[in-house]
Amino acid sequence: MLTTRWRAGAVTALAILTATACSSGSGTAVSDDGTVTITVGQKPTPDQAAALKTWTDRVAQFEKANPKIKIEGSEYGYDVQTFQADLAAGTLPTVVAIPYTDVQGLIERKQLADITDVVKASSAGSKINPEVLKTVQDSSGHIFGLPVQAYTMSLNYNRALFQQAGLDPDKPPATWEEVRQDAKVIADKTGKAGYAMMTTNNTGGWVLTAMTYTYGGSIEKVNGGKASAAFADTPMNGALTTLQQMRWTDNAMGSNFLFNQKQLQQEFAGGKVGMYIGTPGDYRDAVTTMGAKGEDFGVAPLPLGSPDGGTLTGGAVQMFNPKASKQQIEAAVKWAEFFWLEKFTDRDHAVTDAKAANADKQYSVGLPMLWLFDEASKKQYDEWIKPYVNTVQANFTPYTSKAASLKLMIEPPVAGQKVYANLDSVVQTVLTQKDADVGKLLADASKAVDGLLANS
């Protein structure tokens, strides 16, 4: 899920900012002396002083090592409202991040550059976990992007409220039935919302998708290249019924049912919410900018509603402007690997990046992430950055102890953001209308989604 743009910088996962104006995507491919110029998106803004210095230093290092490549920075970041227009107009940077949700649709429409040969011949990209690489491949195995950040959804919970309610903060709920039980206890004993739900700006559909996966369901099915809705059945019905029960039977969800992502994070940081579905990276904003105590922020895997349930995974993919030249794309892949991936495999890059992130109070070092390479490289990376970790590692144990065994499921591959937007209203209705008919809501939403998928 990505609602506005990816923030570049030191060690960072996902963050939400306002997109800036578009910049030129290609420029002159090769100068008379053979120098290739590329435009790189996600340049940190002036208010991100430490991140901007790191970025500037990285550019200098890269250009010194690659004297025939010139980097031009752009603050441009992905915006779901303008991305397609920017892509069609050719005004995207040579390389910029996009969310997993968009990749398969762009591949299907042949809107991305094929970078298969470049990645397979590269030092870092060629080592990416094959399972992760599938997110940017077509059915023939051709590669159309470079995965550089990945996450799985998590159950974020307030350890202090758990203690106040007499619950064990080291044993967060592992099933939705347990979530329901704990949410009611928290609400009854503390007067706070035991569980809260995002519902606006596409986030209601995003979290409902994650819940549906935990119940063993899916959102879309694709046959013969055509996508259709696949959610008007038992799994999503079960997810919505659980929300309906927590809201109306248990009175365990508070009184606000129109949260966007930032608003819910603020409520949670303020100690007003016991549990919500988010990502491990939410720790960063809650603690560094919203005033939450790091020792109160707990992270657990998504609870399951079925033994067949899975966990939604997402992240950022570096995409390459299809209107760029072959030389520019080769240079841009080299840059993307240098800036985004080598910090995971090169000690000097890892230490410099973690040190800068530690110095910049906007960033958190040591957040759990979905690792892009093998387990041995992760252990080595953790040792490199250990002196600069500024997060409460023990609070992530419920999540990290099970992360490797999670069944991963990608976001809806076709028009994912539009599907999420359609499902927002379903979640809102369930939480605001006591007698909402879940089956009818799903049937109506399924028809609407079938229509938008047919035109995507």
Side-chain angles (χ1 to χ4, degrees):
M1 169 66 187
L2 188 63
T3 56
T4 47
R5 60 169 283 188
W6 289 93
R7 179 197 297 170
V11 177
T12 177
L14 120 140
I16 305 240
L17 297 173
T18 302
T20 59
C22 299
S23 60
S24 175
S26 298
T28 302
V30 184
S31 65
D32 292 340
D33 67 353
T35 299
V36 179
T37 300
I38 61 173
T39 305
V40 174
Q42 302 160 273
K43 178 182 177 181
T45 52
D47 61 303
Q48 298 170 292
L52 181 58
K53 183 181 185 304
T54 298
W55 188 90
T56 303
D57 290 346
R58 283 281 194 269
V59 170
Q61 293 167 8
F62 181 81
E63 290 183 338
K64 183 177 180 180
N66 300 274
K68 292 297 184 180
I69 301 177
K70 179 176 175 54
I71 302 292
E72 291 184 351
S74 166
E75 294 174 6
Y76 178 87
Y78 174 90
D79 187 326
V80 66
Q81 303 299 327
T82 63
F83 176 75
Q84 276 294 336
D86 296 338
L87 179 60
T91 55
L92 292 175
T94 316
V95 55
V96 70
I98 62 174
Y100 281 22
T101 42
D102 283 22
V103 175
Q104 289 300 319
L106 291 168
I107 291 174
E108 184 73 22
R109 294 190 294 272
K110 303 186 184 302
Q111 290 180 289
L112 296 180
D114 187 331
I115 61 170
T116 306
D117 294 339
V118 183
V119 172
K120 287 186 175 180
S122 68
S123 58
S126 60
K127 298 177 184 178
I128 293 176
N129 185 320
E131 290 300 311
V132 175
L133 203 60
K134 287 179 181 179
T135 62
V136 295
Q137 291 178 304
D138 64 8
S139 58
S140 300
H142 285 247
I143 301 168
F144 294 87
L146 194 67
V148 295
Q149 294 171 328
Y151 69 89
T152 61
M153 301 289 283
S154 58
L155 176 70
N156 297 338
Y157 64 101
N158 187 308
R159 293 173 59 88
L161 286 182
F162 264 61
Q163 290 178 319
Q164 291 174 32
L167 300 171
D168 186 347
D170 293 326
K171 296 181 179 179
T175 68
W176 279 106
E177 184 58 36
E178 291 175 357
V179 169
R180 184 182 172 190
Q181 293 169 3
D182 288 356
K184 179 169 175 52
V185 172
I186 291 170
D188 289 346
K189 294 192 175 182
T190 72
K192 310 296 185 182
Y195 179 85
M197 181 80 174
M198 301 177 202
T199 61
T200 66
N201 297 352
N202 300 11
T203 61
W206 177 46
V207 177
L208 180 59
T209 292
M211 290 184 68
T212 300
Y213 287 171
T214 70
Y215 277 84
S218 59
I219 304 300
E220 296 176 356
K221 58 184 177 182
V222 180
N223 291 316
K226 295 183 179 180
S228 60
F231 55 72
D233 54 11
T234 301
M236 187 175 284
N237 193 303
L240 288 169
T241 299
T242 295
L243 290 175
Q244 196 172 49
Q245 291 170 335
M246 284 196 287
R247 163 68 175 100
W248 298 105
T249 304
D250 304 335
N251 193 28
M253 294 185 66
S255 58
N256 189 342
F257 309 105
L258 293 175
F259 286 121
N260 63 27
Q261 188 171 22
K262 184 175 181 180
Q263 290 167 339
L264 181 48
Q265 287 176 319
Q266 290 172 329
E267 289 287 294
F268 182 80
K272 299 176 182 178
V273 171
M275 296 176 282
Y276 77 100
I277 298 300
T279 72
D282 290 353
Y283 176 104
R284 177 190 54 251
D285 288 333
V287 174
T288 63
T289 66
M290 298 178 182
K293 295 179 180 179
E295 58 267 28
D296 291 344
F297 198 112
V299 181
L302 287 187
L304 295 180
S306 163
D308 298 326
T311 296
L312 188 152
T313 181
V317 170
Q318 292 286 307
M319 69 146 284
F320 304 87
N321 193 325
K323 297 189 178 182
S325 69
K326 177 182 178 182
Q327 295 97 321
Q328 285 180 305
I329 290 175
E330 291 175 347
V333 170
K334 184 175 288 189
W335 160 261
E337 291 187 339
F338 171 83
F339 187 80
W340 292 101
L341 297 182
E342 285 188 9
K343 65 186 176 185
F344 298 131
T345 59
D346 178 87
R347 183 185 183 281
D348 289 342
H349 281 198
V351 170
T352 300
D353 195 79
K355 187 175 182 179
N358 182 283
D360 189 337
K361 303 306 180 183
Q362 297 294 312
Y363 295 103
S364 300
V365 183
L367 291 175
M369 68 179 89
L370 182 59
W371 192 246
L372 295 172
F373 305 101
D374 58 40
E375 187 62 25
S377 65
K378 183 181 186 307
K379 291 181 180 178
Q380 181 66 81
Y381 174 77
D382 288 343
E383 284 298 314
W384 290 337
I385 69 168
K386 188 175 181 178
Y388 308 101
V389 168
N390 57 8
T391 54
V392 185
Q393 295 291 290
N395 291 8
F396 305 146
T397 300
Y399 176 89
T400 56
S401 64
K402 297 181 180 179
S405 62
L406 296 176
K407 176 184 176 181
L408 303 181
M409 300 179 68
I410 65 172
E411 297 184 79
V414 182
Q417 298 295 338
K418 293 180 181 179
V419 173
Y420 290 162
N422 188 280
L423 292 174
D424 272 2
S425 61
V426 175
V427 179
Q428 292 168 15
T429 300
V430 167
L431 297 181
T432 58
Q433 295 183 19
K434 186 173 183 178
D435 297 322
D437 185 331
V438 171
K440 185 177 187 306
L441 285 172
L442 289 182
D444 292 345
S446 182
K447 292 178 181 178
V449 169
D450 278 343
L452 71 86
L453 292 177
N455 295 310
S456 296

